[in-house]
Amino acid sequence: MKVKSAHEGPLTFARMEPEAGLQAALRKSRADVIAEISRSGLKGRGGAGFPTGVKWNLAAAARGERKFVVCNADEGEPGTFKDRVILSDYADLVCEGMTIAGYAIGARQGIIYLRGEYAYLRPHLEGVLAERRRKNLLGSGVLGKEGFQFDIEIRMGAGAYVCGEETALIESLEGHRGEPRNRPPFPVDTGFNRQPTIVNNVETLAWAACILARGAEWFKGFGTEKSAGLKLFSVSGDCQRPGVYEFPLGITIAELLKEVGGEEAKAVQIGGAAGQCVPRSGFQRRIAFEDVATGGSVIVFGPQRDMLHVARNFLEFFCEESCGQCTPCRAGNPKLLEGVELLEQGRCSTAYLRELIGLGETMQLASKCGLGQSSPNAFLSIVEHFRHEIMGRAPQAVRG
Amino acid sequence: MGDDITRQAETRAPRSQQAQKVEAPRAPADALGATVGVEIDGKKVKVPFGATILEAARQVGIRIPTLCFHQDLCIAGVCRVCVVEVEGQRTLQAACAYPITQPLKVRTHSPKVRRARRHIIDLLLADHYGECYACSRNNNCELQALAKEYGVDFFRFGHPERPRYAIDASSHAVVRDMNKCVLCRRCVRTCIDLQEVGVLEAIGRGHETKIATFLDKPLAEVICINCGQCINRCPTGALRANDPTDEVWAAIDDPTKHVVIQTAPSPRAAIAECFGLAAGTPLTFQMNTALRLCGFDKVFDTNFAADLTIIEEGTELLLRLYKALVEKDQGAALPQFTSCSPGWVKYIEHFYPEYLPHVSSAKSPQQMFGALIKTYYAQLNRLDPKNIVSVALMPCSAKKFECNRPEMCASGYKDVDYGLTTRELAKMISEAGVDLPAMPKSDFDDPFGTATGSGVIFGATGGVMESALRCVIEMVTGRKVENFYEHADIIPVRGFEGVRYAEIPITTVGPVPELVKHLVPDWNWLKGVTLKVGVCHGTANAHKVMEDIKAGGKFSECHFIEFMACPGGCLGGGGQPIPTTPEIRAARARAIYAEDSAYEVRKSHENPAIQRIYREFLTDGPCGHKSHKLLHTHYVARGKYIP
Amino acid sequence: MLVTESERMRDELAALARRYGRQRSALLPMLQAVQRRHGRITPTAMQVIADLLGIHPVEVYGVVSFYSFLSAKPQGRFVIRLCRTISCDLAGREQIARQLENDLGIAFGETTADGMFTLQWANCLGMCDQGPALLVNERVFTRLTPEMVHGIIEECRALFGVHATQAAEEHVV
């Protein structure tokens, strides 16, 4: 597995001094820690892009006897594997970030929610935690800080993509079906066991540790105004050099494709199954929260790829992973998939295709959570940009 | 108002479906009690902090359509029908679940909203197998109503040609047709959260999600107590009662059969709702006429048997008290629990079988009556019992199970052949072309025509207790109940609060009445005793009371507790007209108590027909040998384990 | 002395309840422990767990049926999960799928008659840059070729008697 960076040398995470961030944080007040994160402009690296400083601030201000820091390691977005790499190679940095977060919001308990598919990482992570406890980086009086105790436990997922959604994750922790909650209220106010809880992506927590070590200004030096900092990308598909990359946010798709050896691409899926399918005509677009955002997943489609097949694959994914709670997602995704099947057989009228586009738009607006709200994205963008390729097909045997 | 069957903070339902009141973010200290100004469709209104958009809209008279929302249940927010546009938010928000914590501008019928709602209905119809004409909820279905409201005139996303699921008709009481399910989760919230029985839950994921039982077993094989509260709250025809009207018609049409029907007070107070009249319009005597027009040979008043139940159960209580207080027998099973709610009986058989000795051995009025009809009545009229078809009109779905219990054949025949619900009778009446509200009034048939007010109030929670107390107080003190409680209305046991407790001090005693003279020498041993009684309705409250008893709490020291499985008591039963809301149940209760007030005779032991039957037929007296054979029963320790 | 399956299960679950607690948030860890040891969660186990946690059996069933890695039905000793999401799909998972079906003699969703292997689809295993990928219980195999399938299956058979992931026993939390 190749890990590359836009800069010379290894990833930023590899060049961080251990516990530098935590030490810096514990020398500050809790409010100053949060202020540093806010100033840095760090936004969630899992895909949603919520400003981390705002989240930590809300949780810090919320009233609750026991607050929680949850590391969302339920990396399930198709094409995303950067968290796996971070947890394999930089778990200490993630734990450092969690501890800093715990200090900032006043939590004593951290939970790593690790997806079931990554169970083989658990022994390694337990080892990291045990070592940190030995070194007084976890437990009571962390690094000698009076009154600050923080520990981390690992809880396993059990094979449900929807549990990457923060309220579904919390439901799962509480022993329920992973069905997202009504929001508001949000986890920062009412989360795990009704206590204020922050749920942050693995990478976000690692960057938080880096920011406390190097400072908000350092972080803001990368990226764009609305999308500060560096980001890890997991690149796969039809390219010469798939793997994990580190780029500043704001990089154009074309620049990325050059780095990974995918300049021939017909289309690129930015943001996984829940993301957008960008055709060649859009390759000058920037990968950033203000343009085309991603939690890291970049899938390259070569010129020979059948985009309808891609749409089918993504919709099958969502039909399988939808929690089933709300009508638009539960019943809408199968309808979109059925539409793809009709297109494959050349039996979808233009009128019905318009209905499906309308349905997709409703799903984006009326679904209860981000899964349903983003599941039509791929279909809608493929229908928009590859209309010529998907319409009027000759009937063929349906591929499984 | 104040229907306290609604749940407070700690419930079983998952977080996503919890809290009767929507969880608002914790109010900043200075916002407690504060109001927030919002604008809905241009109308400005001030609402309490944490009120939902749906509540706010109602305040200004704006109607937002809903489907999964139900007043008795916690918020789900799953159907997405009630979505509205909130200014500043990209996505639409569910009005039922969105707490207002800051000023908002809301549009409830914008183009995006209209289109979204229409799509949601189209999607539900795309999975909804079946035609409205051939459905028990034709014209009373919330999906149908939404489709009409949104002008659905074609199936945008198709309509199923084949059913996905087999219908589960294994249970005598509740039939499940998941092809019509809209996955609103009302039945799940009702069974797990409201009733705390826990038979139904969402199983599977995504489009494969269905509402099912433990291991997908047929309903008859799991711990369903047949209360039918799920049926009352189901918006479509996915849940319905097991309907015997075809068999009842066949019996009526059979010239060799003598078909009798007994009617209970709750259907009489509610059937008007099936004919478009307001809840709480009693049609008792019009119904008698209608029933005869349908072809029933005799129409009897269940209240007669209710009076009988009071005598039997009241005597049983006094005997247990005698055992405990005079004979000092530790084995006297107190508190005594009522036994006329078959949903409650099955509940305790499953969940607290070790407490079965506490349950009164008296049958329910329905079953007592059934046994008497095929013996006493048959003899009096020289009829062969095998030609009698005994039908019971009940507000209850569990009574369909009850009349099929193997031990319910004391007469030598099946004591009650069919349990018919209020809804099913309304159907029969309209099939017969009868306009129920327009019918002239007529009386019940003899020999059971005479009833008392105390029989009527059985339909409301607290009614059995009140009837029993009226009887016991008079029998023991020798004085009129009106001396202790104005107008004989024992208010402390009335109302809709989930669990109620009352103390009745016995300060004076009188002579032992003729009826029970052979059982106790005097009442002196009761002088100075304070009778402690409890009342609860809805099995979640039964659960509370039972746990209290187990823990040795206040209710373990009670002498008598009335348990009703259904919220509101029988008037909220699983066979009653749909929909059910706290207001409707309150209206039915008012009708029932009004009917009681209008009676001249309001205590069971004063009923001349009761006095007659003990003289002529049940000659051993209450709890005597003959009574035991016909009017008492036993129970089955079922436990919770599902093999 | 006759120790029934249900008695053994009861003891095991009581021990799990002592470890994880008896509040509802113990449900998933308990179910995962049972799944690991027994390859399924039996009706008895579900009811005992429900009793221990103070919830209804149907709620336990609802949770088991929701998660892909929990099963009420018996599964093979080795559960093979082949990723079918787009990156592995582009890399040739169809061939691997056919080979698995050929070598095991079952279709996806089925279990071999000897109870050794269950074959299932999985969604994105996070190995997208080295697909096609599959999981056998908790082990991951990447850059699959049809030729490798046989070797993987034989390796599993050779471990018969020892659970494939019995590297470390239960992780103390």
Side-chain angles (χ1 to χ4, degrees), chain B residues 12 197 204-205 215-216 640 642, chain C residues 47 51 54 56 61 65-66:
Chain B
R12 280 184 196 292
V197 173
R205 194 171 77 196
L215 302 175
D216 292 294
K640 289 195 298 190
I642 298 166
Chain C
Q47 291 182 77
D51 205 39
H56 301 292
Y61 183 50
S65 65
F66 183 87

Side-chain angles (χ1 to χ4, degrees), chain A residues 63 171 177 185 194 361-362, chain B residues 15 23 26-27 115 119 204:
Chain A
R63 285 177 291 148
E171 286 287 295
R177 297 160 59 86
R194 310 186 77 167
E361 286 161 4
T362 287
Chain B
R15 211 92 219 68
E23 281 208 87
R26 275 164 248 258
R115 189 166 83 149
H119 276 152

Side-chain angles (χ1 to χ4, degrees), chain B residues 12-14 191-192 196-205 212-216 223 351 640-643, chain C residues 6 10 24 42-44 46-47 51 53-63 65-68 72 123:
Chain B
R12 280 184 196 292
C191 197
I192 292 183
E196 292 191 14
V197 173
V199 167
L200 299 171
E201 169 62 303
I203 305 297
R205 194 171 77 196
T213 58
F214 184 60
L215 302 175
D216 292 294
I223 50 171
F351 290 91
K640 289 195 298 190
Y641 182 69
I642 298 166
Chain C
S6 103
R10 239 172 248 278
R24 182 145 185 174
T42 60
T44 303
M46 283 193 245
Q47 291 182 77
D51 205 39
L53 302 186
I55 58 180
H56 301 292
V58 76
E59 293 179 278
V60 178
Y61 183 50
V63 169
S65 65
F66 183 87
Y67 294 96
S68 308
N123 282 322

Side-chain angles (χ1 to χ4, degrees), chain A residues 150-174:
Chain A
F150 188 76
D151 209 333
I152 297 175
E153 72 169 289
I154 298 176
R155 291 281 300 267
M156 300 302 296
Y161 162 83
V162 69
C163 288
E165 198 278 337
E166 61 177 10
T167 62
L169 191 160
I170 291 173
E171 286 287 295
S172 181
L173 284 176
E174 290 187 5

Side-chain angles (χ1 to χ4, degrees), chain B residues 310-389:
Chain B
I310 291 300
I311 305 293
E312 292 291 326
E313 198 165 338
T315 305
E316 186 188 6
L317 174 64
L318 290 165
L319 289 173
R320 286 195 200 188
L321 285 168
Y322 189 84
K323 250 183 130 176
L325 299 175
V326 177
E327 292 173 10
K328 307 277 192 229
D329 185 346
Q330 302 280 41
L334 289 172
Q336 176 170 307
F337 303 156
T338 56
S339 56
C340 47
S341 166
W344 151 246
V345 166
K346 193 152 194 275
Y347 179 83
I348 193 177
E349 287 177 333
H350 280 302
F351 290 91
Y352 296 96
E354 68 274 26
Y355 282 91
L356 282 174
H358 289 255
V359 182
S360 162
S361 57
K363 287 182 183 174
S364 66
Q366 164 181 299
Q367 292 303 129
M368 284 194 183
F369 216 158
L372 286 179
I373 286 169
K374 294 194 182 181
T375 53
Y376 179 60
Y377 167 74
Q379 283 164 29
L380 269 183
N381 293 275
R382 278 184 267 278
L383 292 165
D384 186 349
K386 81 171 195 299
N387 293 328
I388 298 178
V389 175

Side-chain angles (χ1 to χ4, degrees), chain B residues 392-404:
Chain B
L393 172 68
M394 294 288 147
C396 182
S397 44
K399 291 214 174 276
K400 293 169 189 284
F401 175 84
E402 188 187 36
C403 68
N404 280 292

Side-chain angles (χ1 to χ4, degrees), chain A residues 69-273:
Chain A
V69 174
V70 175
C71 170
N72 188 345
D74 193 63
E75 178 174 67
E77 190 63 60
T80 321
F81 47 93
K82 46 99 185 171
D83 289 341
R84 166 175 61 76
V85 170
I86 298 173
L87 289 169
S88 303
D89 297 347
Y90 311 108
D92 274 291
L93 202 57
V94 179
C95 296
E96 201 183 325
M98 287 179 76
T99 313
I100 292 169
Y103 174 65
I105 71 167
R108 294 197 307 275
Q109 182 66 42
I111 301 172
I112 297 177
Y113 186 87
L114 182 65
R115 66 183 306 218
E117 294 87 338
Y118 288 172
Y120 52 83
L121 287 179
R122 188 170 184 178
H124 164 68
L125 291 170
E126 294 285 11
V128 167
L129 292 176
E131 185 65 19
R132 288 183 82 81
R133 287 184 197 114
R134 255 196 300 282
K135 291 192 192 147
N136 204 25
L137 296 163
L138 287 173
S140 37
V142 170
L143 277 186
K145 181 83 179 182
E146 179 96 23
F148 176 48
Q149 72 183 62
F150 188 76
D151 209 333
I152 297 175
E153 72 169 289
I154 298 176
R155 291 281 300 267
M156 300 302 296
Y161 162 83
V162 69
C163 288
E165 198 278 337
E166 61 177 10
T167 62
L169 191 160
I170 291 173
E171 286 287 295
S172 181
L173 284 176
E174 290 187 5
H176 293 290
R177 297 160 59 86
E179 294 174 342
R181 299 178 173 179
N182 291 308
R183 285 145 294 143
F186 294 90
V188 287
D189 185 271
T190 311
F192 182 53
N193 289 343
R194 310 186 77 167
Q195 299 297 323
T197 304
I198 54 170
V199 180
N200 280 126
N201 176 259
V202 168
E203 190 190 344
T204 310
L205 290 162
W207 286 121
C210 296
I211 288 166
L212 264 301
R214 299 282 192 87
E217 294 309 312
W218 161 79
F219 192 74
K220 269 169 60 170
F222 302 101
T224 71
E225 202 187 305
K226 292 214 178 101
S227 307
L230 299 158
K231 171 103 187 69
L232 293 196
F233 294 88
S234 41
V235 184
S236 63
D238 300 323
C239 59
Q240 285 162 5
R241 298 176 289 280
V244 175
Y245 289 78
E246 181 185 285
F247 295 126
L249 282 169
I251 187 172
T252 65
I253 300 176
E255 286 169 328
L256 184 147
L257 286 173
K258 186 137 176 278
E259 286 294 325
V260 308
E263 291 113 309
E264 302 299 304
K266 169 186 194 180
V268 184
Q269 186 76 16
I270 309 279

